[in-house]
Structure formats: structure tokens, C-alpha cells
Amino acid sequence: MAYSILIVDDEENIRTLIRKYAEFEGHSTHEAANGMEAVELCRKNAYDIIIMDIMMPLLDGFSACRKIKEFSDIPVIMLSARGEEYDKISGFEMGVDDYVVKPFSPKELMLRIEAVMKRVGGAKQKNQIIEIEGLHADLTARVVTIDGQKASLSPKEYDLFFYLLQNRNIALSREKLITEVWGYDFYGDDRTLDTHIKLLRKSLGPYSKFIVTVRGVGYRFEHE
């Protein structure tokens, strides 16, 4: 399937590289050289996905993503020359869908775009509401409430929570969770899963008790 992609990077050669591969795959592209341009383009146009660098002049990628998320739920893949854990956590907390560290393979990036769009499309097709004690999850609207208060979950936290809920009381291996939530073509490592479990537990507050670590295996949402 062809997508409309907004490529945001202050390095023209990076934008050109991504554009050529994206257009070769049949996608349409727009470009922005900084975060401010990206925000304005998103206000005026509808894109399927954004590829956004973090370190940019005028407005960095995190700030631009935060602004865009105020009026759009468009999925975002972040690019960065840095790989520190705090960068990843910052991105995931604000709703970034994936994280690619430079230098990267354009082919890998195209696969990640497909994986993100598949997850986004699949989640929208679900139609189910699950209630456990004071925990309420509307899987269609992608809304989770904790004791009547709306919880702020990132898209990836939601995807992980959804999968755990759908398979509650089943011990899910780390490999299974990564494959089902991130996709077969995910190039990250177990730390990405652990980071999201940590963030999800924080978001669920008192109901984090349901997410149990299964030593040597992975995790389980446990509730009779």
C-alpha cells in the first residue's frame, strides 16, 4: 500500500535518500527542513506517517512531535544520531511509534514504515471494551481510564497493553511480544520491550499489579 510520508530532517542528503527509497516503493513524500516547517505542513496537509529527526534547528524533533500530537494522531518514526536510553524514553512517552538510530538502512526504514502502518490499521479494526475492576479499556476508541480518569498512554503503550489484555493469564515470551507488537521486521532489542513495560506500568498506576514478570520467559497480564 502507498502512503503519504512527511520527511523531516535538517540534512538535505538524508531527506533525499529517504525520499528516493520511499518513492521507489510507491509512496508520495513531502519534506521539511526543521520542526517548525513540519508543524505547519501537518496543520495544512494530511499525512499517513512522519519520519522525523530529533536534532534540528528552530524546533527540535521532540518539540515538533509534541506540537503535532496536540491536533493529530499521525504515527511518527524518530531518527537520531544518538542512541541514549533517555532519548528513547522521551520519544515513547510522547507517543513516538518507533525509533531509528543513524546511520540506518533505507530498506530497514521502509520495513519499519510498513510495520507501523500495519499496526495502526490493525488496531483501528478492533471493536471491544474490557473492564477489570477500575480499569476500563475501549479498544476501538483507544481510550483507557483508571478509576474514571483518562490515562495518557502512548500509541506503543496502548498496542502492548491491548495485546497483553487480549492474551491475559497467558505467559508471553519476550520474543512473542516483540514480534506481535513491533512486527517481524523489528530491529531493536529486549530493552525496548522492558522500557515500554516500565512506562505502561507507570501509566496504569494501581493496576500495574496485573502485569506480572515471568522470570526467564517474559510477561503476563494476570487476572482471573
Side-chain angles (χ1 to χ4, degrees):
M1 184 178 293
Y3 304 114
S4 175
I5 304 173
L6 176 61
I7 304 166
V8 190
D9 198 301
D10 59 319
E11 297 184 50
E12 184 176 0
N13 61 327
I14 296 293
R15 298 199 309 271
T16 299
L17 178 66
I18 298 173
R19 173 174 55 78
K20 286 183 176 179
Y21 270 83
E23 292 180 350
F24 179 76
E25 295 288 338
H27 307 303
S28 61
T29 63
H30 283 80
E31 298 179 32
N34 59 66
M36 292 184 72
E37 286 184 22
V39 174
E40 289 305 310
L41 284 172
C42 286
R43 291 187 187 279
K44 298 175 182 177
N45 305 285
Y47 301 105
D48 293 312
I49 191 168
I50 301 173
I51 310 300
M52 177 112 64
D53 187 32
I54 291 178
M55 301 302 292
M56 295 185 293
L58 301 182
L59 192 67
D60 66 88
F62 284 153
S63 299
C65 180
R66 190 176 293 108
K67 286 285 186 183
I68 292 168
K69 290 293 184 179
E70 290 177 0
F71 59 86
S72 173
D73 61 354
I74 180 173
V76 177
I77 295 178
M78 279 289 195
L79 301 178
S80 176
R82 302 183 299 175
E84 289 89 343
E85 189 70 15
Y86 71 86
D87 274 349
K88 295 182 180 181
I89 292 175
S90 296
F92 291 144
E93 284 182 331
M94 72 178 61
V96 171
D97 292 80
D98 205 347
Y99 193 99
V100 178
V101 178
K102 297 177 181 178
F104 58 87
S105 159
K107 181 177 180 181
E108 173 192 339
L109 182 58
M110 294 302 109
L111 289 171
R112 291 204 182 199
I113 290 172
E114 290 291 342
V116 168
M117 295 308 298
K118 181 179 179 181
R119 291 196 302 270
V120 171
K124 290 181 179 179
Q125 295 175 6
K126 305 298 181 181
N127 184 15
Q128 191 175 358
I129 293 176
I130 296 176
E131 291 183 282
I132 299 174
E133 296 183 12
L135 181 63
H136 182 280
D138 185 330
L139 305 181
T140 304
R142 294 176 71 86
V143 172
V144 175
T145 57
I146 307 295
D147 296 329
Q149 298 296 314
K150 184 177 179 181
S152 178
L153 272 66
S154 71
K156 189 55 62 219
E157 283 179 77
Y158 180 87
D159 292 340
L160 179 58
F161 183 43
F162 170 82
Y163 191 74
L164 288 166
L165 275 177
Q166 290 293 88
N167 295 275
R168 53 191 178 277
N169 298 320
I170 298 174
L172 300 167
S173 70
R174 306 170 75 84
E175 294 76 15
K176 179 68 172 177
L177 285 166
I178 289 173
T179 297
E180 295 296 334
V181 178
W182 277 265
Y184 287 99
D185 43 22
F186 178 65
Y187 289 84
D189 55 34
D190 286 359
R191 287 177 296 178
T192 298
L193 172 61
D194 293 337
T195 297
H196 279 83
I197 288 289
K198 181 179 179 181
L199 292 171
L200 179 58
R201 282 172 167 160
K202 180 179 178 182
S203 297
L204 294 181
Y207 301 107
S208 62
K209 64 184 180 181
F210 294 134
I211 300 179
V212 178
T213 299
V214 182
R215 189 178 298 276
V217 179
Y219 298 96
R220 176 178 64 243
F221 188 95
E222 188 173 279
H223 184 266
E224 295 302 329

